[in-house]
Amino acid sequence: MLVRRCPWRSIQLRLHQLWRPRQIHTREAIHDKRWPGWQVIIGIEVHAQIKSRRKLFSESFTSRPGETPNTTVSAFDSAFPGTLPTLNPKCVELAVRTALALNSKVHYHSAFDRKHYFYSDLPAGYQITQRYSPLASGGYIKLSKGDVSVGITQIQLEQDTAKSTFDGLRRTSLIDLNRAGSGLMEIVSEPDMRSPEEAAHYVRTLQAVLRCVGSSDGNMEQGSFRCDVNVSVNKHGQPHGTRCEIKNLNSVKFMMIAITSEVFRHIELLESGRSVPQDTRGFDENKAETFKLRSKADSPDYRYMPDPNIPPLLISEEYLETIRKTMPDLPDATLARLLNLGLSERDADVLMAVDSGREVGFDGELGKDAVTYFDSLAQQRDPRVVVNWMTHELIGQLTARKETFSDNPVSVEQLGELIDMVQDSKITGTSGKLLLKHIIANRSSSAPSVLAQELSLEAVSEDDNTSTRAWCVEAIEALPDEAEAVRRGNLRVLNKLVGKVMQLSRGRADAQNARVVLEDVLRR
């Protein structure tokens, strides 16, 4: 059960959070050919938008991409005087799911602070966050490559800002308040990564975890998953160097380029005898290099203070246990289960990566993703046959039509019956592909057995050689040069004749039987 009370937090608790000792994480030295003799230290702060229908402290709906600006805004979102916040319990639930998935300790007591700074996209002049008393702390996430674990410092709830867009023609900034007040999770990692590739792997793994538990769609392109990367460089065996922060990276590819650029900049400064100033930097995608936003001396004094309008957030063990019981399988467990079914690692990765993020519903409603579809389809069927039809045929045809898996019109029952018909030789594999294409193109809800009859796609039995022989004779007449080459002993050309038979029969003929009949006809 989630409980909220109003007593002020104690000064002792605040001081403990402020001055708690920080654990220094050490790893065995990694030697990178790109910067020999140097060690790179990377930590990442991720801001993930919570996939809730409503905002963190108001009844306004969260906006979607392409929505008309300034249409999903409440009086509280736009900071009208006298308005008060009301905490959205769904945002808390999704953040707790995330914390449990990341092996973090969810605090029974957490509190909200005001972080003050002036910017045009922050209507109130402060952001509500949990800097000193976060929802959860500690934890880790394991990376599948290199047996690396990245520690989690803390997970906190906070508000998102509005979106500002610069109009070059009018030389003015336009403010869209739709995003203002949307719920965010700030997930702060320990400085445990040692290369741009490890950082990229951490971000992708974290995205998969958030999507799996339904707390965020992790869409970097649309801005619902943003990274601030901290980078420092030092000689092997020496203390860590000065840290610089690169803000608002919204692509894994650009994040790797930004880290690499920043590492070389640090090394160039240090090798020339200069020190690295502690800067906050941006990233220029066109120049593939970072640029200075502000120095430490220019950093604003955020003047954190307890938010007087929001009581502390108290979470009970019963509430945590309820969420634990409803947690879905995490990506590692899903991958292990798929591999145990006999799938290759490549096929399992394809299933888990299909439409990543699009299947995440609002408020923790897990969508019908490819893995769920596969699980239903593979019941009492060969999982390897099922995954082959899904990844090569179904997903392949959807991709060719520039459609996503969420647009899939083929029901589990339809594809299941189609696979069974192919396995029972009621239709050929070629006819099965044509039938699947027809269902997708026409959005048909008819049973494949009915469609096979209507489209004359039922397989010709091996006993019915009359039709097959007629198609073989027609194929030989259509390709006389190839037929003569086969008669001379070039059996590789026979495949072309078989293909012609399959074309003439519209996939109804059995390829192996057609080969036998062709050889018989050509011998005469």
Side-chain angles (χ1 to χ4, degrees):
M1 181 179 177
L2 186 151
V3 189
R4 298 173 67 225
R5 297 187 199 150
C6 295
W8 287 101
R9 72 206 75 167
S10 68
I11 296 176
Q12 290 86 352
L13 174 65
R14 300 278 296 182
L15 290 175
H16 170 73
Q17 295 290 344
L18 269 168
W19 299 105
R20 66 180 184 271
R22 182 180 178 84
Q23 182 180 359
I24 303 298
H25 286 233
T26 58
R27 279 179 57 187
E28 185 179 343
I30 296 177
H31 299 278
D32 196 312
K33 294 179 181 178
R34 292 170 291 185
W35 33 78
W38 295 94
Q39 177 177 242
V40 176
I41 309 295
I42 302 169
I44 300 179
E45 299 172 11
V46 168
H47 295 85
Q49 188 170 336
I50 300 172
K51 194 71 181 264
S52 176
R53 285 187 176 85
R54 300 188 183 275
K55 297 184 179 182
L56 184 58
F57 291 111
S58 77
E59 290 297 309
S60 295
F61 287 106
T62 50
S63 61
R64 300 186 181 187
E67 208 149 17
T68 305
N70 299 310
T71 54
T72 58
V73 188
S74 69
F76 178 79
D77 300 329
S78 50
F80 270 56
T83 55
L84 293 173
T86 302
L87 182 61
N88 179 357
K90 281 294 181 181
C91 288
V92 177
E93 178 185 333
L94 295 178
V96 170
R97 277 195 197 182
T98 302
L100 295 176
L102 296 178
N103 307 289
S104 300
K105 175 179 172 55
V106 178
H107 298 301
Y108 298 140
H109 178 289
S110 61
F112 292 93
D113 308 298
R114 290 183 178 181
K115 176 183 178 181
H116 294 83
Y117 64 95
F118 174 76
Y119 203 71
S120 53
D121 62 8
L122 193 66
Y126 62 84
Q127 179 189 33
I128 301 176
T129 182
Q130 290 187 309
R131 173 68 178 85
Y132 294 111
S133 185
L135 178 75
S137 60
Y140 61 90
I141 185 169
K142 287 187 176 181
L143 309 186
S144 59
K145 298 176 183 177
D147 192 28
V148 175
S149 289
V150 177
I152 303 297
T153 305
Q154 66 182 47
I155 302 171
Q156 60 196 53
L157 287 166
E158 60 184 32
Q159 289 176 304
D160 206 348
T161 61
K163 183 178 181 181
S164 59
T165 306
F166 183 71
D167 187 337
L169 292 176
R170 292 186 284 178
R171 298 188 61 79
T172 186
S173 290
L174 306 176
I175 305 298
D176 178 9
L177 293 173
N178 280 350
R179 197 177 69 181
S182 297
L184 286 181
M185 294 178 290
E186 182 174 349
I187 304 169
V188 184
S189 83
E190 295 288 349
D192 288 344
M193 290 153 278
R194 297 294 181 265
S195 70
E197 291 74 22
E198 276 190 8
H201 193 193
Y202 166 78
V203 168
R204 291 191 180 106
T205 305
L206 182 59
Q207 281 177 311
V209 170
L210 299 186
R211 290 165 179 164
C212 180
V213 299
S215 60
S216 175
D217 59 24
N219 195 319
M220 297 187 81
E221 292 75 18
Q222 294 179 358
S224 60
F225 189 95
R226 309 186 291 274
C227 298
D228 298 339
V229 180
N230 294 281
V231 180
S232 69
V233 171
N234 59 272
K235 284 284 189 181
H236 286 299
Q238 294 185 1
H240 293 181
T242 303
R243 170 177 60 88
C244 289
E245 183 179 25
I246 312 170
K247 299 287 285 185
N248 291 327
L249 297 169
N250 59 0
S251 157
V252 173
K253 174 185 174 182
F254 288 138
M255 181 185 71
M256 293 174 66
I257 297 172
I259 293 172
T260 303
S261 168
E262 188 65 6
V263 169
F264 282 124
R265 188 183 73 87
H266 283 218
I267 292 174
E268 182 181 356
L269 288 172
L270 294 171
E271 288 184 338
S272 64
R274 291 175 289 174
S275 62
V276 177
Q278 188 170 349
D279 294 338
T280 299
R281 304 180 69 82
F283 177 65
D284 188 320
E285 298 173 1
N286 296 318
K287 295 181 179 179
E289 61 184 26
T290 64
F291 60 89
K292 181 178 177 179
L293 292 173
R294 59 180 181 268
S295 66
K296 183 181 179 182
D298 299 327
S299 296
D301 177 9
Y302 292 123
R303 294 175 292 120
Y304 285 97
M305 62 167 282
D307 192 303
N309 294 328
I310 308 175
L313 174 63
L314 302 183
I315 293 176
S316 67
E317 183 58 38
E318 291 77 14
Y319 176 78
L320 294 180
E321 193 58 36
T322 300
I323 294 180
R324 285 192 188 100
K325 290 178 180 177
T326 59
M327 288 279 285
D329 286 342
L330 297 181
D332 286 348
T334 301
L335 177 61
R337 179 171 59 80
L338 293 176
L339 295 178
N340 286 336
L341 290 173
L343 272 61
S344 67
E345 191 167 342
R346 176 189 171 278
D347 286 338
D349 287 340
V350 169
L351 277 182
M352 294 174 66
V354 169
D355 283 2
S356 293
R358 293 187 180 92
E359 72 275 7
V360 178
F362 285 101
D363 294 329
E365 296 173 0
L366 300 178
K368 296 180 180 179
D369 61 339
V371 175
T372 305
Y373 190 94
F374 167 82
D375 287 337
S376 300
L377 197 58
Q379 291 182 12
Q380 299 181 343
R381 296 185 181 94
D382 186 340
R384 289 167 293 186
V385 173
V386 170
V387 77
N388 184 62
W389 274 95
M390 278 193 64
T391 57
H392 294 94
E393 305 307 331
L394 177 59
I395 295 172
Q397 292 197 28
L398 289 171
T399 302
R401 294 172 58 87
K402 297 182 179 179
E403 294 179 343
T404 66
F405 192 78
S406 57
D407 302 319
N408 174 29
V410 185
S411 68
V412 171
E413 292 74 21
Q414 282 179 307
L415 186 53
E417 183 181 348
L418 190 152
I419 293 172
D420 293 341
M421 290 173 69
V422 174
Q423 293 298 103
D424 296 339
S425 300
K426 294 180 180 178
I427 59 174
T428 64
T430 303
S431 294
K433 295 173 187 177
L434 290 172
L435 199 54
L436 183 61
K437 186 175 183 179
H438 175 85
I439 294 172
I440 294 173
N442 295 280
R443 294 307 199 251
S444 174
S445 59
S446 300
S449 56
V450 175
L451 292 174
Q453 287 182 341
E454 292 176 355
L455 300 173
S456 300
L457 291 176
E458 293 173 302
V460 175
S461 67
E462 293 185 12
D463 298 331
D464 182 12
N465 276 344
T466 305
S467 300
T468 304
R469 184 173 290 274
W471 288 320
C472 289
V473 171
E474 190 176 349
I476 291 169
E477 292 174 351
L479 301 171
D481 294 340
E482 286 78 0
E484 186 60 32
V486 174
R487 288 191 180 102
R488 291 174 184 166
N490 188 353
L491 295 179
R492 288 182 297 180
V493 183
L494 188 60
N495 291 330
K496 191 168 184 180
L497 288 168
V498 173
K500 186 65 176 177
V501 172
M502 299 304 294
Q503 180 186 358
L504 292 169
S505 68
R506 296 179 63 225
R508 295 177 63 199
D510 179 78
Q512 294 299 325
N513 189 40
R515 177 182 289 272
V516 172
V517 174
L518 277 169
E519 290 175 346
D520 180 59
V521 172
L522 290 169
R523 278 196 300 266
R524 298 188 178 187

